[in-house]
Amino acid sequence: MSVLTRRRMPTRQDIALVQNTQADILDLWSRGLAERDKGIQDRAAAWLHSWNEKNPESPILINGRQLQSRVKQMATPSADRMLKGAPKGLRGRLAGEFAAGRREGGE
């Protein structure tokens, strides 16, 4: 491992920590919105506020668009999310399989 790589490791770890924390807060907050649970939303807002107070050099910003996108994604059935992420060549076949599964009493 080069000296330069070793010097960059702490920075990469800091970036990963901030990104993971932001994702966790965003997940919690969007779950609170989806479930219409004010307590969960308040916990997420408090966590965000606490993080930003303790880490002024790396604040986390969460906007309404991020939350709306997550809530919308949570409301989408898992089969539809999987289909949307599938390669274009597979989508037609998968859509048929999912439709057949629904008719048979699946999802």
Side-chain angles (χ1 to χ4, degrees), residues 6-7 10 20 23 34 39 44 52 54 56 60-61 77 87 90 95:
R6 276 189 290 241
R7 283 188 197 152
N20 290 336
N52 286 338
K54 293 176 185 173
I60 292 176
L61 304 174
L90 290 176

Side-chain angles (χ1 to χ4, degrees), residues 18-89:
V18 172
Q19 289 174 334
N20 290 336
T21 303
Q22 180 178 20
D24 291 344
I25 294 170
L26 192 54
D27 286 343
L28 182 64
W29 205 328
S30 56
R31 192 180 83 201
L33 289 169
E35 295 175 4
R36 291 184 168 88
D37 186 326
K38 184 78 168 116
I40 293 174
Q41 294 174 46
D42 291 344
R43 252 187 19 226
W47 186 3
L48 177 64
H49 181 73
S50 173
W51 170 272
N52 286 338
E53 274 190 348
K54 293 176 185 173
N55 302 284
E57 73 287 350
S58 54
I60 292 176
L61 304 174
I62 294 178
N63 62 43
R65 181 172 281 155
Q66 290 172 296
L67 290 168
Q68 286 176 343
S69 175
R70 286 284 177 108
V71 170
K72 182 179 178 181
Q73 184 180 20
M74 292 171 98
T76 304
S78 64
D80 293 345
R81 287 194 310 268
M82 186 186 321
L83 190 60
K84 188 175 182 179
K88 288 183 180 181

